[in-house]
Every structure is written in structure tokens, then in C-alpha cells.
Amino acid sequence: MDRVQSVYDTVDRGKGISMQSKKEALLAIYRGEMPEFIPAEPKCTAGVVFPGDRYFGENETGDDWWGVNWTRLGPDPGLDGSMVSKGFMLFEDMEAWEEKVHFPDLDKLPVKQILQGMASGMDRENNVTHVLMLSGAFERMNEMVGMENALCAFYECPEAVADFFNAMCDYKLKCIQLAYDAVHPDIIHMHDDWGTNTNMFFSPELWREFIKPIEARYAKKIHELGMIYEHHSCGYITQIIPDLVEIGVDCINPLNICNDMGMIKREYGQRITLKGGINNQKIDAPGCPESEIRAEARAAMDAYAPGGRYIPAYIYSSAAVRDIFNDEVEKYGAKIYSGTV
């Protein structure tokens, strides 16, 4: 802690008033710089979702731009989410993907105008901005053919899977360029789930063969454009954290507690920003006392904030719990690096 404390001591505490804005502190965490405090991330971020990868219409169900049918899980998409409709399958055999998959035509669709319209009200002065890109290569594959067929395809038709993933990568690289041209965000937030609560969906070796190369291409493109690469993957992905560091992913979220959080922080916490570490199953449980929600936020910051590069966050499913959690992050995070907690 001596080295870390020496960093803390460089902060001009004055009368306990930070010289950084919330936006500046959050960007420092993303960039691997030592912040003066930890802000409540949702209170200093603004973002848009790249269009086409989900259905966000007024009906309960509907197709995305790929022809995949989605069902809303509740009235608030931001909290309740959606899923591929039960029993839906666009096709079954990944060997037929070139015939069956119709990529959205980014040259003909008004993507730039849609993004600019969504981003028109963003407060850039006070917020870190991002564009969220849902349905990475593996997710898009299983959304179209089902999870069982997708996992079997790695073994039954590996060349077809590799070709599809490369085509998906080319498509997403165009999306990244469009997002940059339209919005100029601070962060590109890519999305592709790779884990269950106990292990990855597939072996780390398969991930390295099929997915790591395209992730490296994303990282290169995003960094060339001067943006931060944040990747979302739920579940257990401890085995590939060194690979994500290697290819230049700047932040991983939500980093569920099923991962070896202590080891990841100790071994890689200075090279990649950790966003997560929250026992959301505990605090989202019906009837969880407010005191326990606040205690969870404090405990996570105590464990993972030393040295910087930590953002306390989780995937919200309750507005009430979310608001209590972020209130505690804001209060405790204001003091975490001042030596007054």
C-alpha cells in the first residue's frame, strides 16, 4: 500500500473539495490514471445504442434488422431487457450462413442520422459519452441458430464459423467507424457474452482461436480513432483476462463476482479497468435491506479501488436498488482516496 498511498498523497485535498469534475475522474479511471475520487458512473455518463441489433418498437415482440424476433421482458427495456422469442430460430445450420444471413446495409440505412438524433441531447461537457454495440459475433450466431446449434458449430463446421465471425468483424468495424463519425464518443462499448456463472460457454482455447483475433481488430480500430474500448461479457471469464489485457481492451464489465476478483485485481488491475465486483444477486433479492445494499457498495470499493482503475457497477434490474447503490457510491467514493473513510 505504500506505493498506492504515495499516489493518494499527491491529491490536493484543500478543504476536501476535488479539483476534478465527475467526468474527469471517470475518464481517469478508464485511462489508467489515478482519480481523485470515484463518481457514481451513471450520473456522469451519456450514451446511445447502435441501431438494429434489438427490437425497440412499441409492440411486445418484433424483429431486429437481421430478422431475429425479440420479446420484451418488461415495460422498461433499460431495466427489464429483452430476449430472443421462445422457439424462434432464423435457421439451424451454420454451414448455410452465407445464404441465410443478410447483413444490414449500412450504406443504405440512415444509421448516421439515427445516431446523431439519439445523441443530440447528450450533455458532453459533464458526461463521458459512449456508443453501445450489442450482439457480438458469438451472440449474433446463437441468436440466429440457437445456443445448442451455435456451440456445436465450433466442432461441426469450424471453417464456416470462422468465416462468419470474420464477416461479423468487418461489419462491426464499419459500425465503429459510423459511430465515431456520427457521435465522436469517448467510449465504444462492445457486447458479447462468453460465460455462465461457473465457466465459459466454450474452452479458452476455442475463444482464442475464433474470437480473440476479431477482438484484437476491434481494439486496434477503436484506439486508432482515439476512443476507449470497453467490453461487456457477463459470467465467468477469468481464464481470458490476460488475453483481453494483451489485445488492449481498456475496460471489462460487469465482471461478476463469480470471477476471481482478487487475483484479477492483483495481477492485472493496473493494466485494465475493472467495472463490477458487485454481488447483484444479493442486493437485487426481494427485501434486501438498504443497509446491505450500501454495505455491498462500500465493501467492493474497499476491495478493488486501491490503485485506481475500478468502477463499482452492475447490471441493474431494480430502479430502487440502483438509486440506493449509486447514492452510496457517490458518498463513499467521494472520500475513498482522501484517507477520510
Side-chain angles (χ1 to χ4, degrees):
M1 287 292 291
D2 291 343
R3 179 185 62 79
V4 174
Q5 191 61 52
S6 70
V7 178
Y8 298 169
D9 289 341
T10 65
V11 176
D12 180 10
R13 299 189 183 96
K15 295 182 180 181
I17 300 175
S18 170
M19 301 299 290
Q20 285 182 325
S21 67
K22 293 177 182 180
K23 175 182 176 179
E24 290 168 339
L26 186 59
L27 280 175
I29 297 172
Y30 273 112
R31 292 169 176 162
E33 303 161 2
M34 196 64 199
E36 295 178 16
F37 64 99
I38 298 178
E41 182 250 4
K43 296 188 177 183
C44 54
T45 57
V48 298
V49 180
F50 197 92
D53 286 326
R54 293 288 191 278
Y55 170 73
F56 291 114
E58 296 180 358
N59 298 324
E60 291 299 316
T61 66
D63 292 350
D64 64 20
W65 285 359
W66 302 75
V68 173
N69 190 261
W70 293 84
T71 297
R72 281 210 311 262
L73 299 180
D76 185 344
L79 290 174
D80 303 312
S82 58
M83 64 180 293
V84 176
S85 297
K86 186 176 180 180
F88 174 85
M89 195 174 292
L90 192 63
F91 62 102
E92 295 185 28
D93 186 355
M94 277 304 295
E95 286 192 302
W97 78 265
E98 289 183 274
E99 175 189 349
K100 299 293 186 179
V101 177
H102 302 288
F103 284 74
D105 191 336
L106 296 173
D107 295 323
K108 294 182 179 179
L109 290 163
V111 177
K112 188 173 182 179
Q113 293 86 342
I114 293 171
L115 287 169
Q116 289 175 333
M118 290 190 293
S120 62
M122 290 199 306
D123 179 1
R124 294 176 178 273
E125 182 179 354
N126 297 302
N127 289 292
V128 175
T129 57
H130 68 268
V131 173
L132 171 61
M133 296 189 177
L134 298 166
S135 295
F138 176 67
E139 285 188 347
R140 180 51 64 187
M141 180 168 68
N142 69 57
E143 288 162 5
M144 294 188 299
V145 304
M147 181 64 80
E148 182 177 341
N149 289 333
L151 292 173
C152 289
F154 284 113
Y155 299 95
E156 294 175 346
C157 51
E159 290 184 1
V161 172
D163 289 344
F164 171 69
F165 279 15
N166 284 326
M168 273 295 297
C169 183
D170 291 340
Y171 171 80
K172 289 291 186 180
L173 290 172
K174 291 180 182 178
C175 294
I176 291 168
Q177 185 68 56
L178 272 170
Y180 173 79
D181 293 340
V183 182
H184 285 82
D186 299 301
I187 297 169
I188 294 292
H189 184 176
M190 306 294 284
H191 196 289
D192 204 16
D193 283 339
W194 299 321
T196 72
N197 202 43
T198 56
N199 213 330
M200 296 182 70
F201 290 125
F202 28 70
S203 72
E205 290 74 26
L206 275 178
W207 181 90
R208 293 179 182 117
E209 178 181 354
F210 289 93
I211 298 177
K212 183 177 179 179
I214 65 176
E215 291 297 320
R217 291 177 66 192
Y218 297 150
K220 183 174 185 290
K221 177 71 171 180
I222 291 167
H223 291 158
E224 284 176 348
L225 294 173
M227 299 182 290
I228 294 165
Y229 180 12
E230 179 171 357
H231 185 91
H232 166 95
S233 176
C234 289
Y236 185 87
I237 57 168
T238 296
Q239 308 102 307
I240 61 169
I241 294 295
D243 300 274
L244 298 176
V245 171
E246 176 192 332
I247 64 179
V249 173
D250 298 297
C251 176
I252 185 72
N253 88 66
L255 212 55
N256 303 118
I257 60 166
C258 57
N259 289 282
D260 189 345
M261 292 294 301
M263 182 281 292
I264 295 170
K265 176 64 180 182
R266 183 173 63 253
E267 299 295 330
Y268 305 103
Q270 293 302 310
R271 300 172 63 192
I272 189 169
T273 296
L274 312 182
K275 185 175 180 181
I278 303 300
N279 189 341
N280 59 292
Q281 292 177 334
K282 173 185 175 181
I283 64 176
D284 273 338
C288 181
E290 178 176 334
S291 60
E292 292 189 17
I293 299 169
R294 293 183 181 276
E296 178 66 19
R298 294 193 301 271
M301 286 187 278
D302 286 339
Y304 312 123
R309 298 212 78 155
Y310 175 66
I311 301 170
Y314 68 102
I315 306 299
Y316 308 115
S317 62
S318 162
V321 174
R322 174 200 64 196
D323 292 345
I324 294 168
F325 177 86
N326 286 321
D327 181 66
E328 189 61 32
V329 169
E330 191 166 52
K331 291 175 179 176
Y332 198 72
K335 302 177 288 183
I336 191 75
Y337 295 131
S338 69
T340 61
V341 296

